[in-house]
Amino acid sequence: MNRDYGIYVVVALLVILIETFASNLLAIGGITPDLLLVVIVSFALQKGQLPGVLFGFASGLVFDIVSTDVLGSNALVKLIAGYCAGFFHREGASLQSSIGSPRFIGVLLGCALVHNAVYSFLYTRPAEIPFVAFYLKNGIAAALYTTALALLPFFYASRQRGEDY
Amino acid sequence: MQRFAEFLFRYREHITAALLAIVSLALMSYGNVTQLGGFRALIIGGLGMVQQAFAWIPNPIALEKENRALRQINLDLQQEVMLLRRAGVENAHLRRMLTLKNESRVPLLPASVVGKTVFRTRQFLTLDRGSRDGVTIGMTVMTDAGLVGSVIATSAHYALVQTLFNRDVRVSARLEPTRQEGIILWDGFEHLLLQNIPKTEQVRVGDRVLTSGLSTRYVPEIPIGRVTDVINDPTSMFYRIIVEPAVEFGRLEQVFVILSTPPQEQLMLERALQEFIERRIAGR
């Protein structure tokens, strides 16, 4: 049980490093995927809402510090993502059953859309940037890109479970 | 008391989420956390080293485009040099007549872009020059084409530059033909917006936009871009002016850091004025 938490923390730190050092390699047309969100949603689905909220907040805060983003902005949106994903938690779910189910993709897309909506709102609020246009271009595209990348762990986990999609 | 404890336990997820959301909002409103400066410098140093390790990988498409663009810039510059020579002679003559103080040339430090970082929708460049080369926070970064942005963080050997394509950037600018002052900011997409230009001014598509001398943040007279559209919003007294940046941010490889920071005396005076206004507002 504790080993699971340790693995998630290590994976989250690795993902933060990847997003910090190699985000431009993953960018398509200026849109970058949010790999940390994938980790948070997986964690919340497997561990529950409260751990999801705490994990989302902590990892978002670390990301804020590393990425020079406004301190607290990613902490807020990531905890919201963990909170939303936690509603779909099933008691006793394993990592394979959490990630290897089509539900994971649906929950991730929903959480990514909410996450990006809140982030876009926070981002455009102090500036003269139209929120709706900004969200349609960046928020939705980034959510779809993140979900598309999450298909890789989904297919891997579903094969582990012995299910083919 | 027991009921309260039961209530807390029952709704612990929601209460924790609400409390952490309040903490996040408090952190956001707190703004710049300077205590993190040293840690961020460490991150920038690491970021620069990793990005420089991969900077040798050539991009033939980008190189070809850059060559084409450089040839065009060279042609434009030759024409401008001819005009400037004439203007220089005239200017020197007029300065002598008016006994104006000669403006010194600003020292430029060439730097290579070793990394481009995109955090969500914020773009940063990592330069292979840092505090050991004399680069400090707030210095202006430009290319031969125009303004790139300003240095927001440094480590010993690297510097992080915030480009114009960033929500937090505001540049005091002026239209070259009329010298009318405005504010440049990012439109959230591929262009810049020039604000605060009243409708009484004549603005034409193609007009050049330069940094103005009113800001202490950017060196004046650096090209920012050209006007591509002038929108007449009937609900506003000001034009909505779309500006195409002079710099092609997607192909940046070499830049110059202007090794000049605003005069401390001027900054102190402006800060004192700001504090005085804030005190007056607070005392009202």
Side-chain angles (χ1 to χ4, degrees):
Chain A
M1 190 72 173
N2 285 336
R3 196 170 148 263
D4 273 7
Y5 284 96
I7 290 170
Y8 269 111
V9 170
V10 171
V11 170
L13 289 174
L14 277 175
V15 161
I16 288 170
L17 287 177
I18 290 169
E19 288 200 17
T20 309
F21 291 113
S23 60
N24 56 321
L25 297 177
L26 297 169
I28 299 176
I31 306 291
T32 50
D34 194 337
L35 302 176
L36 186 57
L37 184 69
V38 180
V39 180
I40 291 164
V41 169
S42 316
F43 183 84
L45 281 176
Q46 194 190 348
K47 302 292 179 192
Q49 198 167 36
L50 185 59
V53 165
L54 294 170
F55 186 66
F57 176 78
S59 52
L61 200 59
V62 173
F63 188 78
D64 282 330
I65 294 167
V66 171
S67 71
T68 70
D69 206 340
V70 178
L71 201 69
S73 58
N74 278 288
L76 178 65
V77 292
K78 295 286 185 286
L79 88 85
I80 291 172
Y83 179 75
C84 294
F87 281 111
F88 301 91
H89 161 68
R90 282 180 188 160
E91 206 59 52
S94 66
L95 180 64
Q96 273 84 8
S97 63
S98 299
I99 299 179
S101 149
R103 215 165 56 99
F104 166 65
I105 296 298
V107 172
L108 177 64
L109 181 60
C111 288
L113 289 170
V114 172
H115 169 279
N116 291 350
V118 178
Y119 188 84
S120 298
F121 175 74
L122 294 174
Y123 190 85
T124 56
R125 193 177 52 91
E128 294 280 328
I129 301 170
F131 165 72
V132 176
F134 187 84
Y135 178 60
L136 288 176
K137 183 180 179 272
N138 294 295
I140 293 178
L144 291 172
Y145 188 14
T146 302
T147 312
L149 274 187
L151 288 172
L152 295 172
F154 161 70
F155 283 127
Y156 179 76
S158 65
R159 278 178 74 90
Q160 295 262 309
R161 288 176 72 199
E163 294 174 21
D164 278 332
Y165 294 100
Chain B
M1 190 64 193
Q2 196 185 344
R3 277 191 177 177
F4 181 65
E6 276 175 13
F7 172 82
L8 288 181
F9 185 74
R10 193 173 171 189
Y11 296 105
R12 60 190 185 283
E13 293 90 352
H14 313 301
I15 292 166
T16 310
L19 286 175
L20 290 178
I22 291 166
V23 171
S24 305
L25 290 170
L27 284 172
M28 284 165 69
S29 63
Y30 189 67
N32 186 25
V33 184
T34 49
Q35 292 91 328
L36 296 172
F39 182 72
R40 282 186 169 166
L42 200 71
I43 295 289
I44 293 157
L47 187 75
M49 274 194 284
V50 172
Q51 288 178 328
Q52 194 167 35
F54 294 99
W56 58 272
I57 301 169
N59 185 343
I61 299 167
L63 281 175
E64 194 198 330
K65 281 184 181 173
E66 192 182 359
N67 275 338
R68 209 178 306 145
L70 283 173
R71 271 198 293 269
Q72 184 60 45
I73 289 168
N74 198 19
L75 205 69
D76 294 344
L77 285 175
Q78 273 181 350
Q79 288 177 338
E80 273 192 38
V81 165
M82 275 165 49
L83 291 171
L84 284 173
R85 271 190 195 136
R86 201 188 307 160
V89 173
E90 200 176 298
N91 189 30
H93 178 63
L94 289 170
R95 274 183 186 282
R96 270 197 304 274
M97 283 173 72
L98 296 168
T99 61
L100 281 177
K101 191 169 69 176
N102 268 326
E103 288 172 23
S104 60
R105 279 170 169 263
V106 283
L108 297 176
L109 177 74
S112 294
V113 177
V114 293
K116 291 171 190 170
T117 310
V118 186
F119 288 126
R120 310 286 176 268
T121 46
R122 301 158 71 236
Q123 290 186 22
F124 299 100
L125 304 174
T126 312
L127 308 184
D128 66 346
R129 303 285 189 164
S131 52
R132 285 196 183 172
D133 305 293
V135 180
T136 58
I137 293 171
M139 284 182 171
T140 305
V141 178
M142 61 178 289
T143 65
D144 49 352
L147 183 67
V148 173
S150 66
V151 175
I152 58 158
T154 58
S155 65
H157 300 101
Y158 300 97
L160 202 61
V161 176
Q162 182 169 252
T163 69
L164 297 180
F165 284 170
N166 202 304
R167 174 198 67 174
D168 307 318
V169 173
R170 299 277 189 285
V171 184
S172 179
R174 69 160 56 113
L175 281 162
E176 191 179 39
T178 61
R179 314 301 286 172
Q180 178 64 39
E181 306 279 349
I183 302 285
I184 277 282
L185 46 97
W186 181 40
D187 77 342
F189 303 97
E190 282 86 28
H191 290 94
L192 303 168
L193 276 179
L194 178 61
Q195 288 193 324
N196 295 359
I197 302 293
K199 288 181 179 173
T200 48
E201 289 295 320
Q202 197 178 14
V203 187
R204 279 174 299 199
V205 170
D207 282 355
R208 281 216 314 173
V209 181
L210 313 171
T211 51
S212 98
L214 294 182
S215 165
T216 50
R217 198 174 174 85
Y218 295 94
V219 174
E221 302 299 321
I222 300 173
I224 298 173
R226 280 186 190 278
V227 173
T228 55
D229 199 6
V230 183
I231 299 163
N232 193 347
D233 180 1
T235 62
S236 171
M237 293 192 302
F238 301 100
Y239 284 123
R240 187 179 163 82
I241 299 170
I242 311 292
V243 176
E244 186 175 28
V247 172
E248 291 201 35
F249 288 91
R251 299 210 303 258
L252 276 177
E253 289 187 355
Q254 294 290 327
V255 295
F256 295 97
V257 182
I258 300 178
L259 294 176
S260 150
T261 45
Q264 289 305 308
E265 193 182 331
Q266 185 186 348
L267 284 178
M268 277 169 62
L269 191 65
E270 286 177 4
R271 210 171 294 141
L273 175 67
Q274 198 177 345
E275 282 170 8
F276 172 74
I277 292 167
E278 280 168 5
R279 272 202 306 274
R280 287 289 296 269
I281 292 167
R284 198 176 271 176

